[in-house]
Amino acid sequence: MTPSEFQDRLLVWFDKHGRHDLPWQNPASPYKVWVSEVMLQQTQVATVIPYFNAFIARFPDIQSLAEASVDTVLQYWAGLGYYARGRNLHKCAQIIAERGGSFPDSLDELLDLPGIGRSTAGAILSIAFKKSHPILDGNVKRVLTRFAGISEWPGSTEAGKSLWKLSTLYTPVHRVEDYTQAIMDLGATICTRGKPNCTVCPLVSACRAHIENKTATIPAPKPARKQPVKQVYFLCLTTNENSILLEQRPSAGIWGGLWSLPEFDTIESAHSWCMIRHIDIINEYTLPEVRHTFSHYHLDFTPLHFQTNNPNHFVMEANRMLWYKPEQFSSLALAAPIKRLLHQIYKD
């Protein structure tokens, strides 16, 4: 199948069956496309839509995002995961605002910004600026891997090189914004990871995976690697005033910049921490262990619920520790597992 035929078949399908009413499409501004593409990294459209709508309502343009605090930005990102994306979004906005506020429209300028890689830059340039640039997100990788019958894991270096060549070959000059959305839509709705609906795919007649009956094995899964496990204790220190001690995590690392609970390696170290601060524990119990899985390891955390009637009302600027009441939680950027844990504590 020639590149021209590949493009034509995909565009004819898109005109009839593609998604044309996504919130970042009407109208498609560089700012909206950028925010949506960053949110869509590692996250499905259905999950992103409510977050995107709330984010745009609060930060309608580059300037409002740049002027907001990172705490406020992360509050609107909480629950989406991969929080470095939210921090980088904020950094980008500040850089663009400092440079005059105009969104960059060249590949080099976009790649110079934090959190924008080649595929995200290509999506911004093609969808928002109608410039012919290839993309290679997860959906596009799956379509091209199956179409070309590539047996290697798409994340490998060699497969990546081949896929970028294919994506560049098939990306058109005309209607590039529709083509880019079309190939993403095809991967998201037809050429899905499990049970692809090949009977309605516009590319099926030339798809190597379909012809060779390999759609179940292509793309190849990531080579198995045992996930390491980290075990910690989270201190849920509550007072008779119904407050709980929360700590803002460092900007680097998991849940960077979000509010969480003080973390300890052992129960004994949590007790020692309280003793040093003259916090008397009048009641304590341990909640069941919870496993939260990140992309590269498992976090097993055990909540320690300590109750005190003589809270030390300190403010530790270095570690950003403060007491909060339940009615204040909604104004904080909390990691989803921590938010669930706090709900459990105050529900009980």
Side-chain angles (χ1 to χ4, degrees), residues 148-213:
I150 297 173
S151 58
E152 294 89 354
W153 172 53
S156 70
T157 302
E158 286 305 310
K161 290 178 181 178
S162 299
L163 289 168
W164 272 114
K165 287 180 181 178
L166 285 172
S167 185
T168 302
L169 175 66
Y170 290 126
T171 300
V173 173
H174 302 294
R175 288 194 69 186
V176 68
E177 71 280 14
D178 289 339
Y179 169 87
T180 299
Q181 188 64 55
I183 195 167
M184 289 192 292
D185 284 2
L186 188 73
T189 64
I190 302 298
C191 192
T192 53
R193 182 177 286 108
K195 297 181 180 179
N197 191 1
C198 300
T199 57
V200 296
C201 177
L203 308 175
V204 67
S205 64
C207 175
R208 298 308 307 171
H210 178 75
I211 293 169
E212 298 171 9
N213 196 28

Side-chain angles (χ1 to χ4, degrees), residues 23 83 122 207 281 300 311 327 341:
Y83 294 97
C207 175
I281 307 303
D300 289 350
E327 56 267 26
L341 176 56

